[in-house]
Amino acid sequence: MHERDDMNLDETMMDEGAIDLDLPQPYRPLWPWNNRVSGTYTSQSTIILRNPPVVPQPIPIPIPQPRPSARQGGRDATMMDDLDPMPLDDDIVDTGVDELSLIPLFSSETVRLDVDGTDPQQVISGEIRRGLRQRLHWIANLRRRSTSTWTGRVWYRNGTGSLLPQTTVTVRAYRSFFPHQRRLRVTFSGGGALTRTRDFRFHSSYFHDVEFEFDHEDGIAPVTTIQTHAHPNHPATVPSQNLSIETVYRRSGFRVTRSAGENAVPSSLSLGNGDPRWDDNEMHDAMQTYWSRFANTAQWALWVFFAKQHIQGHSLGGIMYDDIGPNHRQGTAIFYDSFISDLPAGDPNPAASVARLKFWTAVHETGHGFNLAHSWQKDHPFGPSWIPLTNDDAALSFMNYPFRYPGGEGPFFANFEYRFTNQELLFLRHAPERFVEPGNADWFQNHGFDNAATEAAPRFRLHLRLNRDTNVCQFLEPVRVEFKLENVSSTAQTIDAGILDTKEHLTICTMRQGDRARQVYPLAQVCPRPRMMLLEPGQSIYATHDVSFGRDGWTITDQGRYVVQACLDLGDLDVVSNPLMLTVLPANNREEMVLAQDIFSTDMARVLTFGGSRVLEAPMDTLRQVADQLRGNPLALHANLCLGRIAMRNYKLLDLKDTTHTDIKSVTDRAVGKKSVKVVDADIEAARKHLDLALTADMARSADLLANVSLHEEIDRTSIWLAEIGDNKGAVALQDQLGKLLKTRIETKTVQTRVLAEIDGMKDALKGGKTRAARN
């Protein structure tokens, strides 16, 4: 209890800006007027008719401070070079005309000084707001001229550039042990404009405020704090301390608070048949419906949910939610029944190693929530680039994968100091707020293929195709494309066997003839474990992806000609695909035209991507209408597939507020205090009906519309489900039907042999009742 009180005291003092107790410093001076000055400062203007003389608040006169000896050194010794005492009131003079003294009402400025404290970037950034519309965000690098004076040039502007025509910034800090007495005087000059001086009052030692909410599934003990020396493999420069997720982000410039609404979610959550795994539908529905701070607006808050396992299985350690209504990057989920909990063989302290990886995963996924890309994707030609950044596989950052680091996890953690890189800190602290704030600017931005890092003698070829005779699609049809990555070199190549399975390393763009290109963004960012394999010469791996829709809705809608192209990021090179040309036919009838307005929506894109929803009832009703009335349209197949998948299992609704769901029938309410889980029971007969219409009624047509690989996956999923409900005979018959079809459709003998062997193995597992083995 006493230790907890001490921690609260330290954080309170730090929040007030008096001292920085969050990180041990190599040298801490005894003189209180030499404390840190980094933080946020604000200033406001009102309408006045002339430039009045500046009358600053009285500031205490300090005792002159001696220089430290050479042996004291360190960051704070540098701060004391050329120290001049705090000036008298008469020393504070206006060096030029304050141009903002004759501006509209409600003008304000904010600056963020970053010159001392934890990992200082020697940067000042600012935001100017004038009236209701004009905004400018600027950044300047600084060089120290004396202990409390810095100068630099403005190198970044975003917004109304005329608000700051000057090019040079001079900053003078007036220090005080008492935060409310701290001041900055910032002088803007150069660029052929009048010199302007502005006084700023101290606001906070941080650059942003944010609230974290940590919810966890019952039975999961979230690792939100680790002991940095618990594992013997650590840098000598890292002090021994209890490090929390909040502390990591406080050091990165955030004033972090934890929500009082944190909850333990009942472990009775189930997908049915004793399989307590989460699928993407339920994760999105739970986030959108039950997060205590969820709102359809950008806000400085993040939801972190610690769960057991994702339906993708052991290989998925974490996921960032991208598409929550119109707002993105608002939450993450960490899965503990995954590879991040595997005890490493031969490790001197395997328990500490697992705790460290769980901690890293939570900070990593939360970093995505602040719009941080992976370390190897900074300069991705199709990714986020607020300023030119550099890819770095060897980055010692939370945003790098330890297993991607040269030499693997051992060397990574031997050098990792539990921090972000300088360019990441620059983004978190000084990028325009809308780029960083959760729920604001979208994850990734539209880019082109011009800067792809391709090879003169390529080792791989990425080929896109439709599994049909012609590249003609029906109106309303969700276009599913097969991706084939082939080793075209003369030697075996090491590659992740699942690199095509998700869009983590894929960039997909579509373009309608005469229109601009649009990127198909994934609805979720995943953190899978690589499955490395040797891809022999001529050998290929396959996957399928919907290219008609993504996080931002539909990219293929109206009739016309379209081009689909993709780029695969392999780290050291980009593999650009062939341009796939396809044609979308006009609507067959007026009924299709009327339904189009309900189909081409972001909610429908989510439902089709995740296989249905029990919360988004409007698009589900539309799919029922499509399945009943548009049976000849390819969309009816996708509708039946969604309706079948949502009916084949129990569906859990996480209710942290004890909300009454009056529109759900056949519901089991498992209440725990004010928390409960609503479980919608499976409808076996409805599932059989819809899945039969989608997959087996005309399996050849289903293969045309879904592509061979996707059909194979859907048949496997359905076969496992049939075996789990006791219909082993039906499950094996379904695999037999698939084998007969694919034997006639697979082009090469090698692939045919491999696929048919997989089908035989699945049948053996199903006959023996080994559904778990079949699933894996």
Side-chain angles (χ1 to χ4, degrees):
M1 183 66 182
H2 181 69
E3 181 181 356
R4 178 72 178 177
D5 291 340
D6 288 345
M7 184 187 70
N8 288 340
L9 174 63
D10 289 353
E11 293 183 354
T12 300
M13 296 177 71
M14 182 181 63
D15 287 348
E16 292 173 350
I19 51 177
D20 182 7
L21 294 180
D22 201 25
L23 246 190
Q25 300 292 332
Y27 166 71
R28 186 177 300 282
L30 299 176
W31 296 273
W33 49 85
N34 196 35
N35 59 310
R36 60 179 292 184
V37 296
S38 290
T40 303
Y41 295 76
T42 60
S43 177
Q44 293 184 339
S45 292
T46 57
I47 294 178
I48 57 178
L49 300 178
R50 58 187 178 85
N51 295 328
V54 177
V55 182
Q57 297 295 321
I59 302 176
I61 302 175
I63 302 171
Q65 179 175 329
R67 292 178 180 271
S69 62
R71 61 184 175 85
Q72 289 173 319
R75 183 184 308 162
D76 291 293
T78 302
M79 288 174 58
M80 296 183 194
D81 291 344
D82 301 322
L83 179 65
D84 56 345
M86 197 172 300
L88 296 170
D89 293 354
D90 292 341
D91 292 330
I92 304 178
V93 295
D94 204 342
T95 59
V97 178
D98 188 344
E99 294 179 312
L100 291 187
S101 61
L102 292 173
I103 61 174
L105 192 62
F106 308 124
S107 175
S108 66
E109 287 191 54
T110 300
V111 295
R112 294 179 174 88
L113 184 63
D114 187 2
V115 294
D116 54 18
T118 306
D119 300 317
Q121 300 302 300
Q122 304 304 320
V123 162
I124 185 172
S125 63
E127 184 178 40
I128 304 174
R129 295 171 176 261
R130 179 180 294 184
L132 298 177
R133 292 182 178 272
Q134 297 186 71
R135 302 287 188 274
L136 175 67
H137 189 94
W138 58 269
I139 306 175
N141 290 336
L142 296 177
R143 294 184 63 185
R144 185 186 301 277
R145 296 305 181 190
S146 69
T147 304
S148 299
T149 305
W150 300 262
T151 62
R153 295 185 64 82
V154 176
W155 58 268
Y156 177 87
R157 287 179 172 86
N158 185 289
T160 309
S162 60
L163 294 181
L164 186 63
Q166 296 85 359
T167 57
T168 301
V169 178
T170 300
V171 182
R172 188 175 186 183
Y174 299 104
R175 305 172 184 271
S176 173
F177 182 78
F178 303 101
H180 71 279
Q181 292 184 345
R182 296 180 189 174
R183 300 288 188 274
L184 286 186
R185 167 151 289 200
V186 183
T187 301
F188 304 91
S189 60
L194 293 174
T195 298
R196 177 170 70 88
T197 298
R198 191 80 164 176
D199 290 323
F200 294 85
R201 293 176 177 271
F202 178 81
H203 174 72
S204 172
S205 291
Y206 297 95
F207 304 110
H208 305 290
D209 290 4
V210 68
E211 179 186 282
F212 290 162
E213 181 170 324
F214 298 145
D215 290 344
H216 63 276
E217 187 174 347
D218 194 23
I220 293 295
V223 177
T224 61
T225 301
I226 61 168
Q227 217 293 326
T228 55
H229 282 198
H231 196 281
N233 183 25
H234 60 77
T237 54
V238 171
S240 178
Q241 58 187 296
N242 291 323
L243 181 67
S244 67
I245 296 174
E246 303 98 287
T247 298
V248 169
Y249 283 99
R250 288 191 184 112
R251 295 176 181 178
S252 302
F254 296 88
R255 187 202 304 269
V256 181
T257 57
R258 284 182 63 164
S259 169
E262 296 178 3
N263 295 275
V265 179
S267 58
S268 54
L269 306 177
S270 173
L271 289 173
N273 303 300
D275 184 5
R277 302 184 299 170
W278 292 86
D279 73 357
D280 293 322
N281 291 296
E282 294 157 339
M283 293 301 303
H284 277 264
D285 292 345
M287 169 91 163
Q288 191 167 7
T289 307
Y290 305 114
W291 176 29
S292 64
R293 282 287 299 271
F294 178 78
N296 283 319
T297 184
Q299 57 180 328
W300 287 100
L302 274 169
W303 190 62
V304 184
F305 182 59
F306 297 87
K308 292 179 180 177
Q309 193 177 76
H310 188 270
I311 195 171
Q312 186 170 319
H314 188 74
S315 64
L316 185 61
I319 186 170
M320 182 196 72
Y321 292 97
D322 267 340
D323 182 61
I324 305 302
N327 306 104
H328 309 149
R329 303 184 291 104
Q330 292 189 297
T332 67
I334 316 301
F335 302 104
Y336 276 13
D337 289 353
S338 70
F339 72 91
I340 66 175
S341 297
D342 291 345
L343 294 175
D347 193 281
N349 191 337
S353 180
V354 168
R356 182 174 60 187
L357 191 56
K358 289 178 178 179
F359 182 83
W360 170 89
T361 303
V363 178
H364 174 94
E365 297 298 335
T366 305
H368 283 322
F370 291 117
N371 219 356
L372 288 178
H374 290 124
S375 299
W376 65 91
Q377 292 178 323
K378 303 297 186 184
D379 193 31
H380 195 291
F382 327 107
S385 184
W386 71 291
I387 58 173
L389 300 174
T390 304
N391 293 336
D392 187 4
D393 283 336
L396 291 165
S397 166
F398 279 108
M399 301 316 297
N400 199 3
Y401 284 171
F403 44 76
R404 283 184 67 108
Y405 187 79
E409 291 187 25
F412 176 84
F413 284 113
N415 297 283
F416 180 52
E417 295 183 326
Y418 297 97
R419 56 163 292 189
F420 297 99
T421 63
N422 286 343
Q423 65 179 12
E424 289 163 348
L425 291 175
L426 179 69
F427 179 82
L428 292 173
R429 296 172 180 177
H430 300 288
E433 285 196 359
R434 68 182 184 279
F435 293 174
V436 184
E437 183 183 26
N440 207 319
D442 293 349
W443 172 262
F444 280 12
Q445 303 294 330
N446 288 323
H447 289 270
F449 292 93
D450 297 337
N451 298 320
T454 56
E455 294 178 308
R459 289 170 284 166
F460 298 96
R461 179 171 60 201
L462 182 62
H463 186 70
L464 310 187
R465 66 179 182 180
L466 298 181
N467 278 144
R468 59 186 74 174
D469 294 333
T470 62
N471 293 343
V472 177
C473 304
Q474 298 293 318
F475 183 67
L476 302 181
E477 177 183 351
V479 181
R480 188 165 291 188
V481 173
E482 181 182 87
F483 287 62
K484 174 185 176 182
L485 182 66
E486 181 182 4
N487 178 3
V488 295
S489 72
S490 59
T491 59
Q493 301 291 331
T494 302
I495 195 169
D496 179 3
I499 198 166
L500 292 179
D501 292 343
T502 70
K503 294 176 182 175
E504 180 77 5
H505 299 278
L506 275 171
T507 299
I508 305 171
C509 289
T510 67
M511 184 176 70
R512 188 170 183 264
Q513 190 174 35
D515 204 348
R516 67 181 180 87
R518 298 183 61 189
Q519 187 172 336
V520 183
Y521 298 107
L523 272 80
Q525 293 290 323
V526 300
C527 181
R529 187 176 192 176
R531 297 178 286 113
M532 306 311 295
M533 63 171 290
L534 274 179
L535 195 65
E536 299 293 339
Q539 189 177 358
S540 303
I541 56 176
Y542 300 83
T544 58
H545 291 287
D546 289 304
V547 300
S548 296
F549 47 77
R551 182 201 64 201
D552 295 333
W554 291 69
T555 59
I556 297 179
T557 53
D558 299 332
Q559 68 180 75
R561 296 180 184 273
Y562 290 82
V563 179
V564 181
Q565 196 168 16
C567 179
L568 176 64
D569 176 16
L570 292 179
D572 59 336
L573 76 148
D574 297 316
V575 183
V576 179
S577 78
N578 61 300
L580 173 64
M581 314 294 294
L582 56 88
T583 301
V584 176
L585 299 177
N588 290 314
N589 49 53
R590 187 174 181 274
E591 191 173 19
E592 289 184 354
M593 292 295 296
V594 172
L595 280 172
Q597 60 185 340
D598 294 324
I599 292 168
F600 296 138
S601 68
T602 54
D603 281 348
M604 181 62 75
R606 285 190 58 219
V607 165
L608 290 172
T609 298
F610 298 130
S613 172
R614 293 290 186 182
V615 173
L616 300 175
E617 283 299 322
M620 293 300 293
D621 288 341
T622 300
L623 289 182
R624 294 184 186 97
Q625 186 178 356
V626 168
D628 184 54
Q629 300 178 11
L630 299 182
R631 297 184 180 181
N633 192 293
L635 180 59
L637 180 147
H638 293 268
N640 279 305
L641 189 58
C642 274
L643 295 170
R645 285 177 61 181
I646 204 69
M648 68 192 295
R649 55 177 174 76
N650 295 338
Y651 190 100
K652 59 182 179 294
L653 290 171
L654 177 62
D655 190 354
L656 302 180
K657 300 177 182 177
D658 200 21
T659 304
T660 302
H661 295 267
T662 57
D663 58 333
I664 298 178
K665 299 178 180 179
S666 185
V667 167
T668 303
D669 185 359
R670 306 183 178 110
V672 181
K674 291 187 177 180
K675 304 176 290 291
S676 63
V677 178
K678 311 290 184 179
V679 180
V680 184
D681 295 337
D683 188 337
I684 303 300
E685 293 305 315
R688 284 181 178 272
K689 170 189 170 183
H690 288 297
L691 292 174
D692 179 64
L693 291 171
L695 301 176
T696 60
D698 188 347
M699 191 173 285
R701 181 171 182 267
S702 299
D704 287 341
L705 298 178
L706 297 177
N708 293 340
V709 176
S710 184
L711 176 67
H712 194 168
E713 293 171 350
E714 295 293 347
I715 293 295
D716 282 353
R717 181 184 291 112
T718 304
S719 299
I720 293 170
W721 171 71
L722 288 172
E724 287 176 340
I725 64 174
D727 188 3
N728 293 73
K729 183 178 179 180
V732 173
L734 194 57
Q735 290 290 320
D736 282 332
Q737 187 178 354
L738 175 67
K740 292 177 181 178
L741 174 71
L742 295 185
K743 190 173 183 179
T744 65
R745 293 177 65 97
I746 297 178
E747 300 169 356
T748 66
K749 187 69 175 177
T750 302
V751 176
Q752 184 182 108
T753 301
R754 176 177 59 80
V755 171
L756 295 181
E758 290 175 358
I759 292 175
D760 289 340
M762 175 65 77
K763 290 194 298 185
D764 291 341
L766 294 171
K767 289 176 182 178
K770 301 176 181 178
T771 56
R772 292 283 182 174
R775 181 182 294 110
N776 295 331

